[in-house]
Amino acid sequence: LMVTSAFIYHVLNWFHITIEVRNVCVFFAPLFSSCTTLVTYGLTKELKDSKAGLVAAAMIAIVPGYISRSVAGSYDNEGIAIFCMLFTYYMWIKAVKTGSVYWAAMCSLGYFYMVSSWGGYVFLINLIPIHVLVLMVTGRFSHRIYIAYSTMYCLGTILSMQISFVGFQPVQSSEHMAAFGTFGLCQIYAFVEYLRFRLSKDYFQILFKNLAILALVIFGTIAIILGITGKIAPWTGRFYSLLDPSYAKNNIPIIASVSEHQPTTWSSFYFDLQMHVFMFPAGLYFCFKHLTDANIFIIIYGVTSIYFAGVMVRLMLVLAPVCCILSGIGVSSILSTFMKNLETTRKEKRNKRQDTYPVKTEVALSVVGMMTLFLITYTFHCTWVTSEAYSSPSIVLAAKQYDGSKIIFDDFREAYYWLRENTPEDAKVMSWWDYGYQITAMANRTILVDNNTWNNTHISRVGQAMASTEDKAYEIMRELDVDYVLVWFGGLTGYASDDINKFLWMVRIGGSTEKGKHIKEEDYYTKTGEFRVDKEGSPILLNCLMYKMCYYRFGEMYTEQGKPSGYDRVRNVEIGNKDFQLDVLEEAYTTEHWLVRIYKVKKLDNRGL
C-alpha cells in the first residue's frame, strides 16, 4: 500500500505534476477502484462477452459493498486488494483458456501483489486449487490447466516468500497446504497420463494400482510426521472461525468482538448489494447452462464467497465483485434474449407473418421494462447508500432532528483535542481497543491497546479493569501505569455503538485468561438471563467500573420529555444505580453531548514514615 503510494507520488513529481503525498493517499482508493472497473470488464468478457463485461463494470463502479472501502480518504489495504484479486483471477482465466506460460506468469505477479497488500490472499490461493481439483474430478483437466497451475504456483510461491510476514508459510502452514497438495497432484496426474500413453492397458493398470497405494502411504506418513513435529502449522483461529461461525465466540472472543467479524444480516445483503441479491442466482444459472472451464471457476468463486460473506460481514467486500460479474452475465443474457424477440417481431410485421407464440411482443416488452426498472432503482439505491452511509467521516456524526434539520456531533475530535492540550505528553490513556488508533493519531497520547494489539493477555487486563469494582480496577490500573481512562457513552444522544453495548465483549475477553477466571459472563445477567442496566440489572454490573464511568452524574440528567431523570435513550430504560460517587477516579472532561467521557486516575495517598 505505502510502496505503491510512494511510487505514484514520485512518478507524478518526475513528470512535474506537483501533488502532496497526503492527496495521493486520499485519492488512492478511488484510483484503484477505477482500475478494478476495467479489470472487471476484462474478466467478465472472458467469461461471456463484451456486453456482459460492460454491465458488470457499470455495476461494480457504484455497488455499495465495494464503495464502502474505496471512497476518497479510505487509505486501507482493501482499497488495493480487490483490484489485485480480480486482476489475478483475470490472468488465471486467460491462462486456463490459452495454456500460455505468459498469462500464468502474469497471474503469479498479480498474486504476488495481492500477497504484499492484504492478508486475505489466503482465500485466493485456496480458490484456484479448488478450481483445478474440480476440473480434475469432472474430467476437464488438460495440458492447458497443468501448464497454467504449475507455472502460477511455482512463480507465485517463490515471489510470495519474499514478503517478510509470509516467509515460509506457503510450505509450512495448513492454510497453504491445499495449493501445495494440488500442485503435487498435478504432477502425479501428468505422470500417470504419460505412463498411460507409453504402456499397454494391462501393464498400466497393474503399475497404476501399485503406484497409487505407494504414493498414498508415503504422502500420508510424511503429512502425519510433519503435523506431529509441528513443521506444518495448524489452522489459525481466524481460519477456523470462517469454517465454524461459533468457534471464535467460544474460543477466541477477541476475534468475535470485532463488529466486522459478526455474521451478516439479510438487511445488510440487500443494503450493500440491492438487485444483485436477485440477479446473482440468475447469473449462476446462465453459467451452469453454458458450462466451461472459466464458468466453473466463477461458480466456485460465487458459492464460496457468498458463504464466507454470510459468516463474516467484512467479507461482503469479497462477495460484491463476483455478484457484479454474475449479475452482469444474468442481465446481459436476459436482455439479449428478449431484445432479439422484439427485433424478430418487427421483421415479422414487415414480412406480414404471425408470431411464433402468442403475446410475444408483450412478454418481451415486460421483461425488458422490468430489467430497466431494476437498473434504474439500483442506480438510485447505490447513490443514496453512498451519500448517506459511506460518504461521511466516521469521526464526525450527523443526525436529523424532528424538524428535518441536521445536527452535528463533533464530540470525538473535541475529546482528543482536550487530551492533547490538557494532559502531559507522557500520559497513558486506558480505553477499549476500538479507539486506540484515534487516540494515538489525534490526541498524540500513549494508549494501552489498539486495533493492532496481538497480545490477548494485555487486552484481557483492560477488560478485567472495566468489568471489576473500583478497588480491583484501581489495582489493575496502577499495575498498567494508567493516568487517564476514556469511555464512549451514547445514553444521552442515542448513539448505540457505545461502551455499554460493547461491555459483554469486555467481560468475555477479560475472563478468557488465567488472571480473569473470576470474571464470568453469567454474573452480569439477571436471573432470567437478561443484560439490563435498570433496577432489575445484576448488582455486579451496576457497581462495576464501566457502569460507573458511563453513568456518573447521568442520574441528574433529563434526556426526554415525559421520562424520569437518568433515562438511557439507547437501552430505553431508567438506569438502576443513580446516586454514587467515584472513589479512585475523578471526572476530567465530558464532551458537549456526553459521547466521550475522560477520567483521571487518582494518585495514592501520601504515607508518613
Side-chain angles (χ1 to χ4, degrees):
L1 179 68
M2 289 177 283
V3 171
T4 306
S5 304
F7 176 76
I8 294 173
Y9 168 76
H10 287 296
V11 168
L12 290 175
N13 278 271
W14 188 76
F15 283 107
H16 300 288
I17 301 175
T18 305
I19 187 171
E20 294 182 7
V21 174
R22 180 182 61 183
N23 292 333
V24 172
C25 296
V26 167
F27 294 104
F28 185 84
L31 172 65
F32 272 87
S33 66
S34 62
C35 297
T36 303
T37 303
L38 298 176
V39 172
T40 302
Y41 167 77
L43 177 57
T44 312
K45 183 181 177 182
E46 291 295 325
L47 295 170
K48 191 178 185 298
D49 54 30
S50 59
K51 299 174 184 177
L54 286 172
V55 177
M59 286 179 167
I60 200 172
I62 58 175
V63 64
Y66 181 45
I67 281 188
S68 62
R69 300 302 182 113
S70 60
V71 294
S74 177
Y75 189 65
D76 204 351
N77 292 327
E78 286 89 343
I80 190 174
I82 298 303
F83 163 75
C84 299
M85 182 179 70
L86 291 181
F87 178 77
T88 305
Y89 292 157
Y90 177 38
M91 293 296 103
W92 170 247
I93 295 300
K94 296 278 285 185
V96 165
K97 293 178 74 172
T98 61
S100 169
V101 174
Y102 170 76
W103 293 118
M106 290 296 293
C107 179
S108 63
L109 288 175
Y111 172 65
F112 169 65
Y113 200 13
M114 175 72 177
V115 173
S116 63
S117 62
W118 194 35
Y121 75 91
V122 175
F123 175 72
L124 187 151
I125 199 57
N126 280 280
L127 186 65
I128 292 177
I130 291 174
H131 180 218
V132 175
L133 287 174
V134 171
L135 293 178
M136 283 185 181
V137 172
T138 54
R140 290 176 171 269
F141 190 82
S142 63
H143 192 62
R144 291 180 290 106
I145 311 298
Y146 174 77
I147 292 175
Y149 186 73
S150 297
T151 305
M152 179 267 168
Y153 179 77
C154 291
L155 286 178
T157 301
I158 293 171
L159 289 172
S160 66
M161 291 171 71
Q162 310 311 310
I163 307 298
S164 58
F165 74 87
V166 175
F168 286 92
Q169 287 186 30
V171 292
Q172 288 183 337
S173 66
S174 299
E175 285 90 344
H176 298 78
M177 283 300 107
F180 183 60
T182 303
F183 175 72
L185 197 60
C186 285
Q187 311 314 310
I188 295 172
Y189 191 95
F191 182 63
V192 168
E193 289 299 314
Y194 173 77
L195 292 179
R196 190 197 300 272
F197 176 74
R198 289 293 182 182
L199 300 176
S200 64
K201 187 176 181 180
D202 294 335
Y203 283 120
F204 171 76
Q205 289 180 349
I206 296 171
L207 182 62
F208 177 73
K209 183 178 179 180
N210 293 326
L211 282 177
I213 295 173
L214 181 63
L216 189 63
V217 171
I218 292 174
F219 283 113
T221 304
I222 292 173
I224 292 172
I225 293 173
L226 291 176
I228 293 174
T229 56
K231 297 297 183 181
I232 298 179
W235 284 342
T236 61
R238 187 169 294 182
F239 199 83
Y240 272 120
S241 64
L242 287 175
L243 301 177
D244 179 10
S246 63
Y247 177 84
K249 183 178 180 180
N250 297 331
N251 298 278
I252 315 176
I254 185 64
I255 293 179
S257 68
V258 182
S259 59
E260 290 183 336
H261 294 171
Q262 302 303 310
T264 310
T265 60
W266 283 108
S267 59
S268 296
F269 275 109
Y270 187 79
F271 188 77
D272 282 340
L273 300 175
Q274 213 257 354
M275 70 173 290
H276 299 305
V277 173
F278 313 108
M279 295 310 301
F280 178 85
L284 284 177
Y285 164 76
F286 286 109
C287 287
F288 273 111
K289 188 176 179 181
H290 304 286
L291 209 59
T292 62
D293 293 348
N295 284 351
I296 288 174
F297 175 79
I298 205 66
I299 289 169
I300 296 170
Y301 177 21
V303 173
T304 53
S305 62
I306 200 168
Y307 167 75
F308 290 132
V311 172
M312 195 177 289
V313 68
R314 181 186 185 185
L315 295 180
M316 186 72 73
L317 181 67
V318 177
L319 175 63
V322 71
C323 275
C324 293
I325 292 170
L326 288 172
S327 296
I329 292 172
V331 170
S332 175
S333 300
I334 292 172
L335 289 178
S336 297
T337 301
F338 286 94
M339 289 299 290
K340 286 179 182 178
N341 287 351
L342 289 176
E343 294 173 1
T344 305
T345 303
R346 294 188 188 119
K347 292 178 182 178
E348 289 172 352
K349 284 184 178 180
R350 285 198 299 267
N351 297 331
K352 297 182 179 180
R353 291 167 57 185
Q354 296 296 320
D355 292 347
T356 54
Y357 62 85
V359 295
K360 179 178 180 180
T361 306
E362 289 77 5
V363 170
L365 281 173
S366 299
V367 174
V368 172
M370 181 181 67
M371 294 307 304
T372 304
L373 180 64
F374 274 2
L375 292 171
I376 292 173
T377 56
Y378 173 73
T379 304
F380 280 107
H381 175 83
C382 294
T383 305
W384 177 79
V385 170
T386 303
S387 62
E388 292 293 326
Y390 298 135
S391 295
S392 302
S394 58
I395 200 71
V396 180
L397 304 178
K400 289 185 178 180
Q401 301 188 90
Y402 294 110
D403 59 357
S405 61
K406 183 177 286 188
I407 181 172
I408 302 296
F409 300 104
D410 201 10
D411 290 47
F412 303 126
R413 292 198 305 169
E414 177 189 339
Y416 301 145
Y417 178 79
W418 185 91
L419 271 176
R420 187 172 69 248
E421 296 296 326
N422 296 277
T423 60
E425 291 186 0
D426 59 349
K428 297 179 180 63
V429 181
M430 183 176 80
S431 70
W432 195 232
W433 63 265
D434 297 37
Y435 332 123
Y437 280 166
Q438 294 182 3
I439 296 172
T440 302
M442 302 186 72
N444 195 24
R445 291 296 177 266
T446 304
I447 44 88
L448 298 184
V449 290
D450 61 17
N451 312 56
N452 197 37
T453 300
W454 290 86
N455 189 336
N456 289 349
T457 305
H458 202 52
I459 297 179
S460 176
R461 290 299 277 169
V462 175
Q464 291 162 28
M466 300 295 191
S468 302
T469 59
E470 282 193 78
D471 294 338
K472 293 182 179 178
Y474 188 70
E475 295 176 6
I476 298 174
M477 288 188 290
R478 299 307 304 174
E479 170 194 327
L480 299 175
D481 198 19
V482 175
D483 298 306
Y484 292 87
V485 185
L486 181 146
V487 294
W488 283 17
F489 174 63
L492 180 65
T493 60
Y495 178 65
S497 297
D498 65 352
D499 282 340
I500 292 293
N501 277 357
K502 299 173 185 176
F503 180 66
L504 285 178
W505 288 112
M506 302 182 195
V507 173
R508 292 165 187 155
I509 295 169
S512 64
T513 58
E514 189 67 28
K515 287 187 176 181
K517 277 189 174 181
H518 61 284
I519 297 177
K520 301 186 182 301
E521 184 179 348
E522 55 268 21
D523 293 339
Y524 296 84
Y525 292 112
T526 63
K527 293 180 180 179
T528 57
E530 296 178 280
F531 180 75
R532 304 184 62 160
V533 297
D534 57 5
K535 292 180 180 179
E536 302 297 324
S538 165
I540 297 178
L541 171 63
L542 300 185
N543 290 281
C544 71
L545 183 69
M546 174 57 71
Y547 186 96
K548 288 188 173 183
M549 286 193 296
C550 288
Y551 291 118
Y552 178 62
R553 294 194 302 108
F554 187 70
E556 306 166 4
M557 297 287 295
Y558 287 90
T559 58
E560 286 191 14
Q561 186 176 2
K563 300 294 184 182
S565 63
Y567 183 79
D568 189 324
R569 296 180 63 193
V570 174
R571 270 62 60 174
N572 294 317
V573 293
E574 179 185 359
I575 63 173
N577 187 4
K578 294 183 181 180
D579 302 320
F580 61 84
Q581 295 296 321
L582 296 173
D583 298 325
V584 301
L585 300 173
E586 58 182 356
E587 184 179 11
Y589 188 74
T590 297
T591 56
E592 179 183 0
H593 302 99
W594 284 47
L595 281 174
V596 183
R597 309 200 68 184
I598 303 171
Y599 294 89
K600 184 177 181 180
V601 181
K602 292 180 180 180
K603 300 298 182 183
L604 289 170
D605 294 332
N606 290 328
R607 296 178 180 177
L609 296 175

